[in-house]
């Protein structure tokens, strides 16, 4: 299949099952994707680990494997100690050692931890920290971050297709969306409509994307995403344990979420 008109690709993000891959597998995935993806497409690789040192090592390896930038998720195992000061220190050390630009990644649905706004504002001033992917879905927060960082060379990305239009409306410059693995062309069309100021058409498309997006993120997660990919002619493949495939009942519900909005 042809590539959708995206600006690039993220590998080893949440939907890449990176916590279940070995270090060697993570690096190999990036290497293989770089071989397949045209050079004019940005390749961003998830390099976050729990420790600062491991994140630095993974970041350097991802750059060597061909990543143009790295996406660094918040360390979260000791989330009670992940204060703004600790996170600023962590990301600063990673950025200082990274041979490629760093994008912050806040995904509280998986980590139980929001990257604090004051930490984001402080980190936005670092010359090698270029942006944030925020997957929390709090548009007030996204707008506040855009407002407080807009005098820096810093860009904010919506972390889900479910609030892509809302993100553009408050100043986000793009999105990293799980749903784009299935409806990539449609997600890109939503971006085009927003940037063209065609808000009525954008709203209608956004409405139709909300339920399928929720189905492959919050409701069914990666097993749902992979199942839907199969329906649309892509290779979803099996999940890595302990993730389980969908039950027959779940498959039927997932199918309804796509058919009810006219995608299947």
């Amino acid at each position: 299949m042809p590539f959708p008109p995206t600006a690039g690709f993220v590998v080893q993000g949440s939907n890449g099952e990176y916590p279940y891959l070995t270090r060697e597998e993570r690096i190999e995935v990036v290497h293989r994707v770089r071989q397949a993806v045209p050079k004019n497409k940005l390749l961003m690789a998830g390099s976050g680990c729990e420790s600062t040192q491991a994140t630095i090592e993974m970041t350097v390896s991802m750059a060597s494997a061909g990543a143009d930038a790295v996406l660094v998720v918040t360390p979260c195992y000791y989330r009670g100690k992940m204060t703004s000061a600790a996170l600023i220190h962590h990301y600063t050390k990673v950025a200082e050692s990274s041979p490629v630009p760093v994008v912050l990644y806040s995904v509280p649905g998986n980590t139980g931890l929001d990257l604090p706004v004051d930490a984001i504002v402080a980190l936005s001033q670092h010359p090698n920290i270029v942006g944030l992917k925020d997957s929390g879905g709090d548009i007030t927060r996204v707008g506040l971050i855009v407002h407080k960082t807009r005098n820096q060379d810093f860009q904010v990305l919506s972390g889900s297709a479910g609030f892509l239009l809302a993100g553009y409306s408050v100043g986000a410059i793009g999105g990293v969306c799980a749903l784009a693995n299935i409806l990539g062309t449609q997600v890109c069309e939503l971006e085009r409509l927003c940037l063209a100021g065609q808000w009525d058409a954008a709203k209608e498309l956004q409405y139709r994307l909300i339920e399928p997006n929720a189905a492959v993120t919050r409701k069914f997660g990666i097993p749902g995403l992979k199942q839907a990919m199969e329906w649309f002619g892509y290779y979803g493949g099996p999940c890595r344990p302990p993730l389980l495939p969908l039950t027959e009942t779940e498959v039927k519900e997932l199918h309804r979420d796509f058919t009810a909005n006219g995608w299947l």
Side-chain angles (χ1 to χ4, degrees):
M1 285 190 176
F3 288 117
T6 58
F9 297 88
V10 173
V11 293
Q12 300 299 293
S14 295
N15 292 289
E17 297 174 275
Y18 78 88
Y20 298 163
L21 273 60
T22 66
R23 181 181 187 278
E24 292 73 22
E25 285 174 326
R26 291 180 68 179
I27 296 167
E28 180 68 11
V29 166
V30 175
H31 176 68
R32 294 295 183 95
V33 172
R34 181 73 281 174
Q35 290 179 322
V37 170
K39 292 296 184 182
N40 65 336
K41 295 284 190 179
L42 178 75
L43 176 58
M44 184 156 58
S47 66
C49 302
E50 281 299 310
S51 79
T52 303
Q53 183 58 38
T55 303
I56 290 171
E57 292 174 6
M58 184 63 76
T59 296
V60 171
S61 295
M62 292 302 193
S64 297
D68 300 306
V70 289
L71 182 67
V72 182
V73 71
T74 51
C76 63
Y77 187 82
Y78 299 109
R79 65 177 56 84
K81 293 295 184 181
M82 292 299 100
T83 61
S84 290
L87 291 166
I88 289 170
H89 182 266
H90 172 74
Y91 280 109
T92 299
K93 290 296 184 182
V94 172
E96 287 174 349
S97 301
S98 177
V100 294
V102 171
V103 177
L104 312 174
Y105 184 19
S106 182
V107 55
N110 289 349
T111 64
L113 176 70
D114 256 322
L115 185 54
V117 172
D118 65 318
I120 295 167
V121 173
L123 291 166
S124 71
Q125 300 174 47
H126 194 288
N128 203 33
I129 296 177
V130 298
L132 163 74
K133 177 192 175 186
D134 194 302
S135 296
D138 183 342
I139 293 302
T140 301
R141 168 185 157 90
V142 171
L144 181 62
I145 292 167
V146 171
H147 173 58
K148 287 186 172 290
T149 61
R150 59 183 173 173
N151 293 326
Q152 309 295 332
D153 189 15
F154 188 81
Q155 298 178 328
V156 178
L157 298 162
S158 295
S160 177
F163 54 90
L164 191 58
L165 182 152
Y168 277 114
S169 74
V170 296
I173 60 89
V176 178
C177 306
L179 190 63
N181 287 284
I182 305 160
L183 298 174
T185 300
Q186 292 82 357
V187 172
C188 289
E189 174 64 8
L190 178 55
E191 177 202 40
R192 187 194 69 78
L193 292 169
C194 290
L195 294 179
Q198 297 176 260
W199 295 108
D200 288 341
K203 281 192 293 184
E204 290 304 316
L205 180 53
Q206 178 70 87
Y207 294 151
R208 295 177 62 212
L209 294 175
I210 289 172
E211 287 179 300
N213 179 76
V216 301
T217 55
R218 294 192 307 273
K219 190 188 294 186
F220 298 121
I222 292 169
L225 179 72
K226 290 193 169 192
Q227 176 61 69
M229 288 176 68
E230 298 281 352
W231 289 335
F232 284 82
Y234 300 102
Y235 175 71
C239 298
R240 179 160 288 192
L243 290 176
L244 295 175
L246 300 183
T247 65
E248 185 177 340
T249 299
E250 289 171 332
V251 170
K252 290 179 180 177
E253 187 174 349
L254 176 67
H255 198 272
R256 284 196 298 270
D257 287 327
F258 277 85
T259 54
N261 292 280
W263 301 119
L264 284 171

